[in-house]
Amino acid sequence: QVQLVESGGGLVQPGGSLRLSCAASGSIFSINAMGWYRQAPGKQRELVAAITSGGKTNYADSVKGRFTISRDNAKNTVYLQMNSLKPEDTAVYYCNAVEWGYDDTNYWGQGTQVTVSS
């Protein structure tokens, strides 16, 4: 089992920045990749950014050039630096960890609210 605890959400004005953190604990040796998803009201959950254990990253087109995902292996923590935030970035952001396999095993954090508004 893997436990994920997120922090760093909040209210920010358009053009501002926030950094989300996700600390992993438990069977972290089994994790192949971690990432951030978001879900806005009335919309499906979507991938924002992901990073593999080897450091390969992947971003949604809507956040490329504005968001950066990184990891600190010593702290078992993944970060999402969000710059130039837009109102359409408003959503609940969820941390995800995945164990690859015949059937992938996904773990989720509790979610943190990000609101971009003036």
Side-chain angles (χ1 to χ4, degrees):
Q1 290 291 320
V2 173
Q3 294 79 43
L4 303 172
V5 178
E6 302 131 335
S7 61
L11 172 64
V12 64
Q13 292 186 342
S17 298
L18 281 175
R19 189 177 80 156
L20 305 182
S21 300
C22 175
S25 61
S27 301
I28 57 175
F29 59 87
S30 65
I31 298 173
N32 296 110
M34 293 184 68
W36 291 92
Y37 286 70
R38 66 186 180 187
Q39 187 167 19
K43 295 187 177 181
Q44 289 188 333
R45 190 173 296 190
E46 63 175 359
L47 174 68
V48 176
I51 185 167
T52 69
S53 56
K56 183 177 180 180
T57 59
N58 182 41
Y59 295 92
D61 287 343
S62 60
V63 306
K64 284 180 180 178
R66 300 189 298 123
F67 292 10
T68 301
I69 190 169
S70 61
R71 61 191 298 161
D72 184 334
N73 291 330
K75 296 181 178 180
N76 300 319
T77 300
V78 171
Y79 304 97
L80 184 67
Q81 178 66 44
M82 304 185 293
N83 299 327
S84 302
L85 282 160
K86 304 175 181 180
E88 50 263 43
D89 294 318
T90 295
V92 178
Y93 284 68
Y94 296 92
C95 181
N96 167 266
V98 59
E99 299 172 3
W100 294 335
Y102 183 78
D103 290 315
D104 291 346
T105 300
N106 283 277
Y107 301 94
W108 296 94
Q110 78 281 4
T112 185
Q113 177 70 46
V114 172
T115 302
V116 185
S117 175
S118 55

